[in-house]
Amino acid sequence: MNIPFLNLKHINAQYRTALIEAASRVIDSGWYIQGKEVREFEQEFAAFCDSENCIGVANGLDALTLVLRAWKEQGRLKDGDEVIVPGNTYIASILAISENRLVPVLVEPDERTYNLCPYKVEAAITSRTKVVLAVHLYGQLADMPAILEIARRYDLLVLEDAAQAHGASRQGRKAGNWGEAAGFSFYPGKNLGALGDAGAVTTQDDELARMVRTLGNYGSRRKYEHSVKGVNSRLDEIQAAFLRVKLRNLEEEIVQRRRLASTYLANINNEIVALPTVSDMQAHVFHLFVVRSPRREAFINHLHESGVGSLVHYPLPPHKQLTYSELNASYPLCERLANEVVSIPLYPGLTDEQQAFVIESINAFR
């Protein structure tokens, strides 16, 4: 049996007819930028997140970058301000900070959940700290109640990196509705994935929403009038149309992901393969199912030889990347995680037979 880590062709095939109809609708409309499909998707995704505002942008990195830039335009941030961020995140979280001439302050994560640790956040706060960037890694929310309590005490802004957390929640409150703003990615492999690059910002702050939209539209609120130095970062009409199709089925797909994750948690039994810690099954959306092994290379080779695909998210943490050599610091837990984590197949359409084979293969590793 050959089981790929992710089968996007299979996932999207179930929506083929609706996706073709959506594409045809856009083509026939004659309006391809900032039209009806984007407006409708923004309203629908805002409602899904229980947020007042959603602004479609070109990708998830731009979503984070534009929020930080908007706060600078509003005078809430300035060059050199510090942003606390988990050190085991994808590099996009860090790039958004440095792109705005802000200073990333990396902290070690919670070893159980891999998410931002509130205690380490508080320990890292200085007089220059202005933002906490909470990354909801793998589909499970960070401890947002504790993070928000710290942010209130120190008068800090909170930005959610919700690129992997569409529909995830904590205490009944969804990702994208905790911080002052949140950035989402709709990269094709995400739980809500476009057929190309796409992203969005959600916020309850109407003025922030207007500034983000202005910045992403060349700094313009009215055609040919530019109030700030903006960029071109807009959600395409055709991707918005595709996302509207898939958003309608997102909750159903999350249920499938939870069922698959529950089966893994109940049946994987190997002392050299550690399972993830799940705080609440009904709040986690399992963008990834990440296990750990101190013998990762041998484990990955064993899976490959068995016909089971896997990936590593992420093999080299940001502070070890050449582009961030100036960080010049040691984060032992981040480095250990980077050397041990392995993502195994979990996606809608993975059959019971395929999953049983994955479990059998993992349990057979010695």
Side-chain angles (χ1 to χ4, degrees), residues 157-172:
L157 297 163
V158 176
L159 172 58
E160 298 173 72
D161 182 340
Q164 301 184 3
H166 317 74
S169 63
R170 193 177 184 106
Q171 299 176 359

Side-chain angles (χ1 to χ4, degrees), residues 6 54 67 75 98 119 152 167 194 248 264 311 323 325 332 334 349-350:
L6 179 63
C54 171
V67 171
S98 54
Y119 306 107
R152 280 193 294 269
R248 292 195 289 269
Y264 277 145
L311 279 180
T323 190
S325 57
C334 290
L350 187 71

Side-chain angles (χ1 to χ4, degrees), residues 167-178:
S169 63
R170 193 177 184 106
Q171 299 176 359
R173 188 170 167 184
K174 285 188 176 178
N177 189 25
W178 282 90

